[in-house]
Amino acid sequence: SSGINAEYGGYHSEIAMHRLVSLVLVVWLVSVSYGKQSGVLSTNTNQVVAQINTQDGSLLEIYSTRTSPSQPWQKVLTHTGPQIVTNSSSQLVVYWDSINVNGDTMKISGHVLYMLDTNFEDSATYYNITNNYNDCMNLCNNDTKCKAWTFVRPGYQAQSARCYLASSVPTPTQNICCVSGVSGQTVTMTRTIQISESIYSPPSSEYQSVAGYIISHQAETSYNIDLVSYEDWYDYLNEPSFAYSPHIKHQPGDLSCPHWEFKAPAVILQTDDILSSIIPNVTSLSKIGLLTYPVNIDLENDLESVTSFGYGIAGSVLTMHAIYGRNDQVLQWRPSGPLRYQYFLVVSAGQTSNQGYRLISQFFWYAFGHNALISSPNLQSNYVNSSKHWLWDDWRTDTWYRFADQQYVGFQCANLSCGTLTSDRLKWAEGFGTNNDAWFNPWFQTLRTAYGWYLYGQEVNDKNSINKATSVLNLALSAPQTESGAFPGIFWLDNQNKTNWVDDSGWASTCRALPTAPALCINYYHSFSMAWTGYWMLMWLQLSNDSRILPFTENLGNFFILNQSPSGVIPSWYKPVTLTPYNHLSLINSETASCALFLIKLYEATGNKTYLTAAIKGMNFIESEVIPSRRWFDFETFVSCSQKPFEFYDMFTHQYPENNLAKIQACFAAIELYKITNDTNYLDLSQQLVDYLSLTQQIYSHPLLSPNLIGGLTTQNTDSEWSDARQGYAADVYFQIYQFTNKLEYLERGVAALRASYQVAPYENWAHTGGSQGDIPGAFSGFHWGQGSATTTLEQYNLKFRDAYVNFKYGHGVGVNGCSITQITIQNSNSLSVQIVSPYTWSRPLILVVDLVDIPLSVTVNQKNLGTFSVAQLKQGIYVKM
């Protein structure tokens, strides 16, 4: 097309006019029984009925669903036509002409006209015509003296319609009686609805098809129009028990999700087993399109009227940290070519109550993310330093021999060789005059990074790396522990080499919630920091069998049991000296999942069922109190850079603020419980949790942002960053759950999350404000929240997945290290053929692992037969010359 192929879209329906009193476009809802033109499009599980009232051109669409052909249709959504708000006082109305149904496609055509009274009573000449405004428009267009026309609907002046022609363009006034136009000025619209039992291709029978609609819209104008908004709204005909949008609102007029927040963009509504969702087709978004027509998805769920969602053009402005308001900027629509947009509308019955989001999460990956990952074998290349087009070998060497050695500081503590991989945060965050610090908290977990360093040293037989990593464990175990088991999480070495500990930081702690300068604030013991540190002590126990670890961690476990409430919750913060819980995050605290994870690991190490009982009690709290209400409250939700009152609640979409850091911990805990108990309910819970977590994983890369952002994770519904460092933790979650489900989606999501960390290294994230304030890196938060945390995950799985991985039993695979597997063929149960592509120059052979195989295989890679290999050789990895 020679025109602008701009993804925009979306409108407001008439039923939702309670929101639109300030807008200049009105579309009047006419009962379906008055419809003169209609169309019905059906599959076994979906149906759309569209009817046009020829008296005023209004269009009503009803979207329905059912669980089986024997069941009655259930109406779910209504849509009455697009609305266009202009920058002038002129009102515009979409006047629809025709509906045509052909196979699985419905095509609806119409025009955009002025909805005005152009003072026709001053004219002496009128024509009695049919009830079609086209006759009036054609009379004017075919008359060289006619400059403007007005079509008077039947029943206003006479039983039949009338047409007035004017030799000049009069000053218009608003009147529902009429529609008017200027000779030669037209806007034509075509709306195409394609219905399908599956709007994407599931990779295997284990995945549910997603029945729904692909909505395409095209509009052409013959004259200049200054738009303010162009939105497509649907009214949800039930009261939702589950309402989700990627972002929440602070005040009326805010936008749920402008395009800067399109990581996994969807609004999701569910009532009982009925699910509905609107999803932009992100593959049609373009740089020039977004610059010209900024798009958004939005949700209105104020409980006082009909719940609605929409997609369309509207300017946005950042009003608070990651909260966007509407911006009535002028968007110029010119006759240079057609405007186009496309989105998906999911309407589905038979979904598990309040878990329909899992279908959307699955759709996101296989409609967008899967292909994006395959086409991005160089995702792990570094955008920040373009010379770093590196394989894992290079990243591992850089992480442990340059970066780790650069950050390492060794010293004596408790008569032991201690050390830290400094975070360099105390001077920046607290104003201390030193950067020789060690942080043992949920973000900057020095002990976890040291664990990865140890694994690397063990694999390459580097005793220096092993010794330095072990010195960090010595430091962690030297933390001063109270008699009841609590311990501080931040260490620093002052200029006199004196060791110092502080319970928590003024950054992202209770201090952020108090009207007190951080330097004057009392720092409390933090359960999340202690639990995550204790977990990694127990992971270290598997490496070093250090006799100090169990006494230290058992004391901590007893502290959590002592403070666990009957509900199962474990409070977040504890006051110094008294060790009584701080009031915030004491009744509803999703950090309980991190404590449960630690207690599970402690049970594994000790066999003491008291710890397992407390862990199950904690996860029961997560299931009963956190998941249903989605109150994923942890410290980061309220007291990080996105500060808000602890009682904050979005009354406009009816959602709580929620963060994904504790979601990751809950995923870990659920899969660990499955490993121990073999109870498949915990395996199901782990997938329920990780599918919800996946709504924060990026399934496409924003055209206006420079790095490749596929697979990275954002943080919460009140923050905006792309590719945040927590993706290194999430990769670990995906890999663990994959090992028990063998679902390709989780394996691919894990690989994408791991690779995404290196694209923006060494920074914490990209475009912290979503991109609206610049295509720039986020802060450098330190070694442990970026390259160090990602490479630790890499070390945990490097020997299992190597460079490329094939699951022979399930017939799938993924390129892990700088490559993509594009095809797998299994013949006669003993022959494997794989296609592997890579943009890199390999100085060594690629290592291909073939797993879940119990017989020798003949292996062919890129049309070259490599021979027949034993089961042991296949699992260890075979060499492939690239």
Side-chain angles (χ1 to χ4, degrees), residues 693-711:
L693 171 68
S694 295
L695 293 178
T696 62
Q697 186 177 30
Q698 295 144 206
I699 48 80
Y700 102 120
S701 192
H702 198 290
L704 296 177
L705 299 177
S706 299
N708 187 345
L709 300 167
I710 294 296

Side-chain angles (χ1 to χ4, degrees), residues 806 808 821-827 830-836 848 857-865:
V806 170
F808 185 78
I821 292 179
T822 59
Q823 185 177 350
I824 294 175
T825 305
I826 298 174
Q827 295 179 337
N830 63 358
S831 177
L832 172 68
S833 177
V834 184
Q835 290 293 120
I836 303 176
L848 169 66
L857 294 180
S858 172
V859 178
T860 298
V861 177
N862 296 346
Q863 289 81 49
K864 182 179 181 180
N865 185 264

